[in-house]
Amino acid sequence: MSIRERLSGNEAVAYAMRQINPDVMGAFPITPSTEIPQYFAQYVADGLVDTEFVTVESEHSSISTCIGAQAAGGRAVTATSSCGLALMFELLYVASSSRLPITLACVNRALTGPININNDHSDSMGCRDAGWIQIYSETNQEAYDNFLQAMPIGEHSAVRLPVMICQDGFITSHGVENIELLEDDVVKGFVGEYQPEHYLLKHENPLAVGPYDVTHYYMEHKIQQAEAMKAAKPVILQVAEAFERVSGRKYGLFESYHMEDAELALVLIGSSAGTARAAVDQLRAQGRRVGMVKLRVFRPFPMEELAAALAGCKAVAVMDKAESFSAAGGPLFAETRSALYDLPQRPLCVNYVYGLGGRDFTVDTACTVFDALADIARTGKTGETYRHIGQRSE
């Protein structure tokens, strides 16, 4: 039986951590993720978890703590944002290449500079190639649900990769919403106990973690990582099916909204999906065949599935809440456009970079994008493919 509550996204993630009861948390505060270790520290102080809560001097040290704990055979969690994630950058690669399924709550915030504490996806997108599974949340409910699914995904024997659960800073992290929580025993049964095959404290099989990898072995190990990321996709869907059985809530690699007959579509990530959904409803009421795809899983990227979802469209706008500074578009655009390449009939595709540093994304903005797509579909000409929207210069 579910428990009905009203929680912020940060509270929801901390609550999920309490129910999981990890062995170690490495923690250093940074806005807007600070509340997660703050709430969890109270659980530790109240004796509600058995977790070793390690207060460190930087985010570099917090992820180092998690790497050490996970390598020793324990479950480790942390939370961070923005520059904190950037400070972890070197160790993100160490964690994934060492095949350590750490779970990190990333509360997305614009990455310096200039300094900005509001939401966009520049932090997590900046480390998209670090070898971590990345799952994004639209709502507080999804942040909670995704965090519970992270460990069964990352710890799966075919995967063994760290998992980053992302939510939008302040928009969901501090906004309070109605939420349904699972009971503690249900969570424990769903997540299960961590059963590492190899770890530092296993006396029967001594090993090193993170040793120097010479030329004769390095590439083979990178291919193993790449194969593990491929294997993660079906595991994510298997875990989602198991989660639906205990929660009644269904998840996939992405959500298709009114895509069955859509001629025009938006592709986006995170809390903006709620705004885009309202725009789709508004335009559908006018008889326009529009739809939306909200990507949940960015790593591994669901290339074939996304292409199939967009195959019937005439024009698609990919919405990036992060700059890539490639002079050719944002990261989600690059991935999505590549996914469409092998379709026999490709939709025309443009990119909009929006919402940087917390800039508002409104229903009117989404409708403006759909209007532009209608012109593209009518004329057959995309014009400039790499665009920005919402800035004052318009």
Side-chain angles (χ1 to χ4, degrees), residues 194-234:
Y194 182 37
Q195 302 290 341
E197 184 177 354
H198 304 292
Y199 51 96
L200 289 172
L201 300 183
K202 185 177 182 180
H203 300 296
E204 302 86 351
N205 183 29
L207 79 160
V209 174
Y212 177 66
D213 212 356
V214 297
T215 303
H216 299 298
Y217 298 99
Y218 181 86
M219 187 168 178
E220 285 72 18
H221 290 149
K222 290 294 111 178
I223 292 172
Q224 287 176 2
Q225 272 185 264
E227 291 300 317
M229 189 63 80
K230 290 180 188 177
K233 191 159 62 171

Side-chain angles (χ1 to χ4, degrees), residues 8-288:
S8 70
N10 280 344
E11 287 179 287
V13 168
Y15 195 93
M17 287 180 175
R18 179 195 65 75
Q19 292 181 304
I20 293 166
N21 192 14
D23 297 300
V24 173
M25 181 178 200
F28 190 84
I30 184 169
T31 302
S33 66
T34 299
E35 288 182 329
I36 295 175
Q38 179 183 344
Y39 285 120
F40 193 77
Q42 192 63 56
Y43 294 139
V44 174
D46 292 342
L48 299 178
V49 291
D50 305 314
T51 307
E52 186 71 27
F53 187 87
V54 185
T55 54
V56 294
E57 71 277 12
S58 73
E59 290 87 356
H60 188 281
S61 298
S62 67
I63 192 66
S64 296
T65 297
C66 292
I67 287 171
Q70 201 85 36
R75 263 186 179 144
V77 299
T78 189
T80 195
S81 301
S82 186
C83 310
L85 188 62
L87 190 55
M88 294 180 177
F89 190 67
E90 173 197 7
L91 280 307
L92 296 178
Y93 283 82
V94 172
S96 60
S97 63
S98 300
R99 309 296 294 279
L100 301 174
I102 298 160
T103 306
L104 184 153
C106 176
V107 183
N108 287 119
R109 166 189 152 187
L111 189 57
T112 301
I115 293 174
N116 180 291
I117 66 167
N118 298 304
N119 169 249
D120 64 32
H121 298 153
S122 54
D123 49 3
S124 57
M125 285 295 171
C127 58
R128 61 189 177 274
D129 296 332
W132 285 59
I133 294 167
Q134 287 192 356
I135 301 178
Y136 287 79
S137 313
E138 177 190 349
T139 63
N140 303 10
Q141 183 73 67
E142 287 189 14
Y144 170 78
D145 292 348
N146 285 338
F147 202 89
L148 293 182
Q149 293 175 68
M151 288 176 185
I153 293 168
E155 294 171 1
H156 192 282
S157 59
V159 180
R160 293 198 183 99
L161 290 174
V163 183
M164 189 179 298
I165 300 299
C166 304
Q167 65 169 313
D168 286 351
F170 293 109
I171 299 170
T172 61
S173 67
H174 286 63
V176 175
E177 295 179 358
N178 292 329
I179 188 170
E180 289 190 1
L181 304 167
L182 300 180
E183 295 177 329
D184 290 359
D185 59 338
V186 174
V187 170
K188 290 186 186 305
F190 173 75
V191 175
E193 294 292 328
Y194 182 37
Q195 302 290 341
E197 184 177 354
H198 304 292
Y199 51 96
L200 289 172
L201 300 183
K202 185 177 182 180
H203 300 296
E204 302 86 351
N205 183 29
L207 79 160
V209 174
Y212 177 66
D213 212 356
V214 297
T215 303
H216 299 298
Y217 298 99
Y218 181 86
M219 187 168 178
E220 285 72 18
H221 290 149
K222 290 294 111 178
I223 292 172
Q224 287 176 2
Q225 272 185 264
E227 291 300 317
M229 189 63 80
K230 290 180 188 177
K233 191 159 62 171
V235 171
I236 289 168
L237 294 175
Q238 291 164 17
V239 171
E241 289 177 3
F243 188 78
E244 185 181 4
R245 289 194 290 271
V246 299
S247 70
R249 295 186 287 276
K250 185 177 181 64
Y251 290 97
L253 302 173
F254 53 81
E255 175 196 345
S256 294
Y257 189 68
H258 284 307
M259 288 299 297
E260 298 80 5
D261 64 344
E263 296 181 342
L264 314 174
L266 303 187
V267 179
L268 41 65
I269 287 175
S271 62
S272 299
T275 302
R277 197 178 287 109
V280 169
D281 290 343
Q282 180 176 306
L283 296 177
R284 280 273 169 177
Q286 300 171 14
R288 297 175 63 177

Side-chain angles (χ1 to χ4, degrees), residues 345-369:
Q345 288 186 306
R346 294 189 293 272
L348 298 170
C349 192
V350 294
N351 182 216
Y352 283 91
V353 176
Y354 77 103
L356 302 182
R359 187 62 56 91
D360 282 345
F361 177 64
T362 66
V363 172
D364 286 344
T365 306
C367 289
T368 298
V369 175

